[in-house]
């Protein structure tokens, strides 16, 4: 078994706890894992996810960064680090992280959403619209698609050209 596969397998107990919504317990299990296996990128990734769900964004970001130090091309850790930066209000850094994801995976839905949502928050409506519309083409889950449609409605309402088209 390759080292990466062994790391993945070792992190699955914590990942399962995350899926079950047992975030505190996942933190405990995954913290023990990375103490035993300090080079387990998946342990750090899932620990970051547990901290993210607990809204402990500083800790989550540190875990994602550690996963990326161990495996610099880990797209999932990049995307989640970007989402964490977004939640921290660090939009420009989040956009940079999402762009790194898009270099490796040009149609990555998480990266498209991330750039769109950060651009929306920063008031860059043209960029937000472009990325959010691309995101919708990835057939996202209904809840996220509804959120994105709401952002697009706000953008359209702020766009004077949209108002002119509606009047004609």
């Amino acid at each position: 078994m390759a080292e990466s596969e062994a790391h993945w397998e070792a992190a699955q107990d914590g990942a399962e706890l995350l899926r079950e919504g047992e975030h505190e317990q996942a933190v405990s299990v995954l913290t023990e894992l990375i103490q035993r296996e300090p080079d387990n990128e998946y342990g750090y990734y899932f620990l970051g996810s547990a901290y993210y769900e607990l809204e402990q964004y500083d800790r989550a970001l540190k875990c994602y960064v550690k996963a990326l130090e161990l495996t610099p091309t880990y797209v999932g850790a990049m995307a989640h680090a970007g989402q964490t930066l977004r939640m921290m209000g660090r939009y420009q850094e989040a956009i940079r992280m999402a762009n790194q994801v898009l270099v490796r995976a040009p149609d990555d839905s998480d990266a498209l959403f991330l750039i769109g949502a950060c651009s929306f928050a920063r008031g860059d409506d043209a960029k937000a619209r472009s990325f959010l519309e691309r995101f919708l083409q990835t057939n996202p889950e209904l809840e996220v698609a509804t959120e994105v449609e709401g952002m697009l409605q706000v953008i359209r309402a702020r766009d004077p050209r949209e108002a002119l088209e509606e009047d004609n």
Side-chain angles (χ1 to χ4, degrees), residues 81-159:
Q83 291 293 357
T84 303
L85 288 163
R86 179 178 74 92
M87 296 305 292
M88 297 169 79
R90 295 165 57 180
Y91 302 123
Q92 194 59 40
E93 292 169 272
I95 290 170
R96 279 198 303 268
M97 188 65 69
N99 280 323
Q100 288 300 310
V101 171
L102 291 177
V103 165
R104 291 159 179 81
D107 295 317
D108 185 89
S109 62
D110 290 328
L112 295 172
F113 173 82
L114 183 55
I115 294 173
C118 288
S119 299
F120 178 79
R122 297 178 72 215
D124 186 346
D125 288 351
K127 187 174 185 179
R129 184 179 199 161
S130 172
F131 279 90
L132 294 173
E133 286 174 348
R134 281 181 61 196
F135 169 75
L136 288 176
Q137 293 173 0
T138 68
N139 298 315
E141 294 178 7
L142 180 61
E143 182 179 335
V144 181
T146 302
E147 177 185 356
V148 167
E149 286 292 351
M151 285 188 263
L152 289 169
Q153 285 179 358
V154 169
I155 290 168
R156 289 182 198 109
R158 294 193 295 218
D159 186 345

Side-chain angles (χ1 to χ4, degrees), residues 34-78:
I34 62 173
Q35 287 171 348
R36 286 190 319 271
E37 297 180 24
D39 61 340
N40 188 319
E41 70 275 26
Y42 299 113
Y44 283 101
Y45 169 78
F46 288 120
L47 182 57
S49 296
Y51 282 132
Y52 182 91
E53 292 299 328
L54 294 168
E55 299 182 8
Q56 295 179 24
Y57 300 123
D58 287 333
R59 287 180 167 180
L61 184 59
K62 287 177 186 173
C63 291
Y64 295 134
V65 168
K66 183 63 178 178
L68 287 166
E69 287 172 3
L70 294 167
T71 308
T73 58
Y74 190 173
V75 172
M78 285 179 206

